[in-house]
Amino acid sequence: MLNRFFGQKPQEDPKQNKTTGEAAPTQPTEQPPVAEPRFTFLNRTRQIFNRLGNTVQETDTITDSLWDELEESLLGADVGPSTTIWLIERLRQRASDENMRTGGQVQQALREELSSLLGKPSALRFSKQSPLTVILVIGVNGSGKTTSIAKMAYRLKREGHNVMLAAGDTFRAAAIDQLQEWGNRVEVPVISQKPNSDPGAVVFDALQAAQSRGSDVLIVDTAGRLHTKFNLMEELKKINKIIQRFVPDGPHELLMVIDATTGQNALLQARKFAEDIGLTGVIITKMDSTAKGGFAFAVADDLGVPIKFIGMGEKVENLMPFEPQNFVAALFAQQ
């Protein structure tokens, strides 16, 4: 049911060979990117992968203990049970098919599989048919949703876009106040109404204002309540219809904000949204507050959508476009 809600085309799953048994295509081998200083928040996760590298260097043969160490490392980095099991099975199959003989070959294959799992960088999608691009953002309370919206608005404004925000999370008064405060800080207008107002009415007003003021990007903050899923779905359907009155090809992105510090619990929440909503990407927040950098792989695997941004702090500049190859390189970089 993923992606049916907004009629978005689902992203190709990098692990389709789970059911077909066919080897997933890998990207051409290139010189691996050099880990950058901005990935210093991965230091503790890197230690886990470095321990695996040390184990590989201690043996020239592929043994059961090597597989055990690999599994322990992946789980320790919060890659998650399901993704870890798939990776181990995939690597065992490759080791057999490619006649691997050394632990170093397995480690290189792991890097390739992790890179393949994350896919290519995925930038925000902008409308090619309409002058206005509409981005919907969802996420449970406390995930960093409102802050991420402000950071994204700040980044887009610096890139030359005329951005407007809509405070569509009307059932939480603090969300409206917080978005207005952030809007003032980044100097981006915010369209809002009183708490408990109709979210659809807020979006309607915002669309009118965006068009009249010549904005080319409208970011909509939407409710993130899981315990009233049906009502939330009905609200999103209504918002979708309103958007399409103004922008027939919208919305262009439906992003979910996920808190990395909650680990696998966050994925359980995300799945509930992804069952019926056509997510086009995710934003992972608080990556600087957790040692579990492997969580990114679990997100990409479990939800099957690209990671658009990662958040690493409270400042408006602390939202970084996700670069899969550099991320993997940083994990395997020697300290």
Side-chain angles (χ1 to χ4, degrees):
M1 294 188 290
L2 186 67
N3 294 298
R4 75 180 185 182
F5 182 69
F6 287 123
Q8 304 286 359
K9 181 179 179 181
Q11 184 191 24
E12 183 179 353
D13 187 348
K15 288 174 25 178
Q16 280 184 324
N17 58 322
K18 272 184 173 179
T19 55
T20 64
E22 297 178 358
T26 57
Q27 300 299 322
T29 302
E30 298 178 356
Q31 187 68 22
V34 177
E36 302 180 37
R38 57 181 168 170
F39 287 107
T40 53
F41 65 89
L42 289 175
N43 281 346
R44 293 176 65 186
T45 306
R46 189 180 298 130
Q47 290 174 4
I48 297 174
F49 280 82
N50 282 343
R51 285 200 300 270
L52 172 62
N54 293 335
T55 300
V56 167
Q57 292 173 9
E58 292 170 0
T59 176
D60 289 332
T61 59
I62 299 175
T63 62
D64 289 339
S65 62
L66 177 64
W67 296 117
D68 292 341
E69 177 73 13
L70 175 57
E71 181 176 357
E72 181 181 345
S73 297
L74 294 173
L75 291 174
D78 205 24
V79 172
S82 175
T83 307
T84 294
I85 290 172
W86 181 84
L87 281 168
I88 295 296
E89 291 177 350
R90 172 74 178 138
L91 290 171
R92 281 183 176 272
Q93 186 63 50
R94 282 192 58 176
S96 174
D97 294 344
E98 300 172 23
N99 296 316
M100 294 182 187
R101 293 289 181 264
T102 68
Q105 291 174 311
V106 173
Q107 187 181 44
Q108 178 58 35
L110 174 61
R111 290 186 62 155
E112 294 170 2
E113 293 299 330
L114 291 175
S115 296
S116 178
L117 193 61
L118 293 179
K120 297 180 179 180
S122 180
L124 288 175
R125 300 188 301 184
F126 295 93
S127 177
K128 297 180 180 179
Q129 304 176 22
S130 307
L132 179 63
T133 293
V134 182
I135 301 172
L136 299 186
V137 184
I138 63 175
V140 298
N141 296 340
S143 64
K145 171 170 61 79
T146 308
T147 304
S148 295
I149 289 172
K151 292 177 181 178
M152 186 162 46
Y154 175 78
R155 171 174 285 274
L156 290 172
K157 181 181 176 182
R158 292 190 65 184
E159 292 174 356
H161 294 281
N162 187 345
V163 186
M164 181 175 288
L165 305 179
D169 191 354
T170 61
F171 298 103
R172 191 168 66 91
I176 300 174
D177 294 339
Q178 186 182 11
L179 192 65
Q180 289 174 330
E181 181 180 347
W182 272 111
N184 290 332
R185 289 175 61 180
V186 301
E187 299 181 339
V188 170
V190 178
I191 304 300
S192 63
Q193 295 187 12
K194 295 180 180 180
N196 296 315
S197 299
D198 179 7
V202 176
V203 175
F204 184 90
D205 289 349
L207 287 162
Q208 282 191 321
Q211 290 189 336
S212 65
R213 301 182 195 181
S215 298
D216 66 323
V217 176
L218 173 64
I219 306 176
V220 181
D221 183 9
T222 61
R225 296 162 293 112
L226 286 174
H227 60 283
T228 54
K229 179 183 174 184
F230 175 78
N231 291 336
L232 175 59
M233 289 300 300
E234 292 304 307
E235 289 165 12
L236 288 173
K237 288 178 182 178
K238 181 178 179 180
I239 289 172
N240 185 51
K241 291 179 181 179
I242 292 172
I243 290 172
Q244 292 182 348
R245 291 183 199 171
F246 291 82
V247 187
D249 62 327
H252 307 93
E253 292 275 15
L254 178 56
L255 307 178
M256 181 167 187
V257 178
I258 302 177
D259 180 353
T261 63
T262 56
Q264 297 300 310
N265 289 332
L267 280 180
L268 294 175
Q269 297 171 334
R271 288 189 204 113
K272 294 181 180 180
F273 281 112
E275 285 174 359
D276 298 305
I277 300 174
L279 295 178
T280 61
V282 298
I283 300 172
I284 302 180
T285 61
K286 307 176 187 178
M287 285 291 280
D288 57 319
S289 303
T290 176
K292 308 294 187 178
F295 180 64
F297 302 103
V299 169
D301 174 27
D302 202 278
L303 301 183
V305 295
I307 300 170
K308 300 282 186 173
F309 296 99
I310 53 176
M312 305 167 298
E314 293 300 321
K315 296 181 179 179
V316 291
E317 300 89 354
N318 298 147
L319 187 72
M320 183 173 69
F322 188 65
E323 301 168 350
Q325 301 302 317
N326 288 341
F327 186 81
V328 174
L331 284 177
F332 285 89
Q334 295 296 316
Q335 301 193 79

